[in-house]
Amino acid sequence: MSVTVLVGSQWGDEGKGKIIDVLTREVDVVVRYQGGSNAGHTVEIGAQRYVLHLIPSGILHEGKQCVIGNGVVVDPVALLKEIDELTERGMPTEGRLHISDRAHIVFPYHKALDESRERLRAKDSKIGTTKRGIGPTYGDKAARTGLRMADLLDPHFGTLLDERLVEKNRILTALGAEPVDASEVQRAYAQAGERLAPYITDTVSLLNRAVNDGKSVLFEGAQGTMLDIDFGTFPYVTSSNATAGGACTGTGIAPHRIDRVIGVVKAYTTRVGEGPFPTELADETGALLGREGREFGATTGRPRRCGWFDAVVARFSAMLNGIDEWAITKLDVLDSLETIRICTAYECGGKRCETIPANIRTLEQCTPVYEDFEGWQCSTKEVSRFEDLPPRARAYVDRLCELTGVPVGILSVGPRRDSTLRVRAEA
Ligand code: GDP
Ligand code: IMO
Ligand code: MG
């Protein structure tokens, strides 16, 4: 029985989906609390590969309840596609998936605006968004003009949507983009509303009841700490709070109910899209990490930028999220390397810097200070106990924990469920 938050501790794609899948066995409810279909969470079960965008990864376990919280922005058409795909693959969602009636809705004009704004940004200030309409939808939420899932079921939905369509099409035209087809949007969303009605509910009460009844609840963070709207590398971030605090505002569960926070980190670092990345490797080693780690975006297919593990980022993330333990993933990707580096601090303007500067231009000028390790140069892919890791791999993991002040609880050496080592904390 516990309430656990699992957060991405770098720039996303840390392997959250895989770890959620492993932990779901032990819980009753899995909840997404922020983001939208910009997320791509991969789970490999035997020869089957699933990529989940909006539905919590826990859905792949029969009998588990899954919730899309109020903090998520929901594209109903994308969600229905995901529901249909899961049903076709023998994983029906009825009765197990619950969508908050307070979650904001993504409309086609949000996606068109996302695309237009990216197009209009100067070449060196593009964010490289996933074009899933995330920024404009959260923008409408903050501007108090968004529509929520409860509105989708309201008899006045058509009128409410019409008002927005008129305004947004004016903006799109002014930006030189094609307006959206208002009657087609009305038709598609009315239909989606009918199909989603059985799923839309008061998830705040549902979740609080589950916690009060002693059920175990697992919060599935999307994106990562460095993409958080407040704490990430602004403006090269997403538009929600990916950090642990988002689990409260994004679900209606009070802070003191949370027992534990797990931070997921890759044994190296990746980033998709634009923005500073101090430990990025633009050389053959970076290419090797990309190849060995199959680093292509699960949502957009874009190649991910790769670099060394950044302990400054991980320490910052541990502090912000109150991380109790790491789930370290993709250690196996480092298997063949002769030398492995960890960034322990930055150097900026002749000064040593131990944390992330708020000024993006300062961060862009930071250069990493590295500590070098001899690689273990043998396969860790088949290792099933922490004690059986090659000594140099253990030393690398131990140093990573020492530098970040957080112990390792889970270690992953492959994409599949059985490539997961549970590490007992030394008392
Ligand atoms: P998420 O967004 O955090 O859920 O991560 P993604 O699914 O976008 O990307 C992680 C990728 O790494 C997926 O393709 C996973 O199947 C894969 N993966 C997860 N853990 C491991 C691991 O320990 N080793 C290897 N080689 N791959 C892993
Ligand atoms: P998961 O949950 C990695 C990145 C985009 C872009 C920035 C803003 O799979 O870890 P957005 O579409 O959100 O406005 O894009 O954030 N981004 C992600 N990068 N993993 C993700 O999700 C991401 N979701 C958004 O590439 O740089
Ligand atoms: Mg991903």
Side-chain angles (χ1 to χ4, degrees):
M1 279 187 319
S2 71
V3 179
T4 303
V5 181
L6 182 135
V7 286
S9 307
Q10 295 158 319
W11 277 280
D13 302 327
E14 296 90 350
K16 298 176 292 292
K18 181 210 150 147
I19 304 297
I20 289 281
D21 175 62
V22 169
L23 294 176
T24 298
R25 257 180 301 164
E26 301 156 27
V27 306
D28 302 295
V29 191
V30 185
V31 193
R32 272 281 305 271
Y33 59 86
Q34 45 68 235
S37 45
N38 49 350
H41 296 178
T42 315
V43 180
E44 289 192 19
I45 307 172
Q48 297 284 324
R49 189 165 184 271
Y50 300 86
V51 181
L52 296 143
H53 300 286
L54 274 165
I55 300 179
S57 305
I59 202 77
L60 304 175
H61 288 253
E62 226 176 290
K64 304 290 177 174
Q65 297 292 308
C66 289
V67 173
I68 296 178
N70 55 276
V72 177
V73 289
V74 180
D75 175 342
V77 178
L79 177 58
L80 282 166
K81 190 164 164 260
E82 218 167 308
I83 289 175
D84 289 343
E85 275 172 18
L86 284 170
T87 308
E88 269 168 38
R89 296 175 76 174
M91 224 83 61
T93 53
E94 289 102 45
R96 292 209 292 133
L97 177 66
H98 313 279
I99 307 163
S100 171
D101 46 11
R102 290 181 165 84
H104 277 255
I105 306 174
V106 181
F107 290 98
Y109 52 73
H110 290 125
K111 289 196 254 184
L113 284 167
D114 195 354
E115 208 160 327
S116 296
R117 285 177 190 159
E118 274 288 270
R119 181 173 42 82
L120 293 170
R121 279 187 188 106
K123 195 168 174 284
D124 58 358
S125 60
K126 291 191 194 298
I127 294 170
T129 75
T130 60
K131 302 197 175 132
R132 297 299 189 271
I134 305 301
T137 308
Y138 279 113
D140 274 358
K141 176 177 178 175
R144 295 153 295 178
T145 58
L147 292 176
R148 309 197 293 181
M149 295 310 278
D151 298 314
L152 192 62
L153 307 183
D154 192 289
H156 297 103
F157 177 72
T159 315
L160 296 169
L161 177 54
D162 228 21
E163 287 165 13
R164 271 88 182 161
L165 280 163
V166 169
E167 188 211 359
K168 293 298 198 270
N169 272 343
R170 279 201 196 119
I171 298 173
L172 282 169
T173 309
L175 295 177
E178 279 290 307
V180 299
D181 181 338
S183 55
E184 174 51 25
V185 175
Q186 287 282 10
R187 189 201 59 76
Y189 277 66
Q191 200 178 52
E194 267 173 44
R195 283 199 59 200
L196 289 175
Y199 295 94
I200 301 170
T201 188
D202 170 11
T203 56
V204 177
S205 300
L206 184 151
L207 283 171
N208 276 283
R209 231 177 5 249
V211 174
N212 289 340
D213 290 349
K215 300 254 168 69
S216 290
V217 180
L218 178 60
F219 292 95
E220 177 173 345
Q223 289 78 55
T225 298
M226 298 313 291
L227 289 172
D228 181 282
I229 180 86
D230 283 280
F231 302 110
T233 45
F234 189 90
Y236 302 98
V237 293
T238 191
S239 302
S240 65
N241 284 117
T243 41
C248 296
T249 53
T251 63
I253 290 290
H256 71 285
R257 314 296 305 254
I258 293 170
D259 301 304
R260 190 165 70 130
V261 181
I262 300 176
V264 190
V265 277
K266 268 180 196 168
Y268 51 100
T269 313
T270 63
R271 168 163 210 172
V272 209
E274 305 304 323
F277 177 3
T279 63
E280 181 169 16
L281 291 167
D283 58 8
E284 177 46 34
T285 310
L288 180 140
L289 292 174
R291 259 193 328 271
E292 293 289 317
R294 291 193 280 158
E295 296 295 356
F296 291 93
T299 296
T300 57
R302 291 178 290 175
R304 295 173 181 153
R305 301 155 64 191
C306 299
W308 297 120
F309 186 84
D310 186 335
V312 183
V313 163
R315 264 198 310 266
F316 186 57
S317 186
M319 174 176 75
L320 287 169
N321 295 297
I323 291 172
D324 296 299
E325 60 182 87
W326 292 127
I328 302 175
T329 62
K330 306 192 93 161
L331 187 73
D332 56 296
V333 174
L334 305 177
D335 280 351
S336 66
L337 292 170
E338 208 171 307
T339 306
I340 303 169
R341 313 188 92 181
I342 293 186
C343 163
T344 54
Y346 302 146
E347 208 174 81
C348 193
K351 284 202 195 115
R352 191 178 163 92
C353 180
E354 306 260 351
T355 188
I356 312 280
N359 186 321
I360 202 78
R361 284 159 295 277
T362 310
L363 181 59
E364 273 160 3
Q365 280 152 26
C366 284
T367 52
V369 177
Y370 285 120
E371 204 170 280
D372 286 359
F373 293 80
E374 276 183 275
W376 44 93
Q377 295 190 281
C378 59
S379 175
T380 57
K381 289 182 172 51
E382 305 301 324
V383 175
S384 57
R385 296 189 322 154
F386 189 64
E387 301 75 48
D388 297 338
L389 280 175
R392 285 178 188 163
R394 276 193 74 166
Y396 177 75
V397 172
D398 286 346
R399 184 66 181 138
L400 189 156
C401 294
E402 197 174 74
L403 284 167
T404 53
V406 175
V408 55
I410 299 171
L411 190 71
S412 173
V413 291
R416 302 213 339 242
R417 281 176 176 168
D418 53 8
S419 311
T420 317
L421 289 58
R422 300 301 280 266
V423 188
R424 284 190 196 290
E426 283 161 33

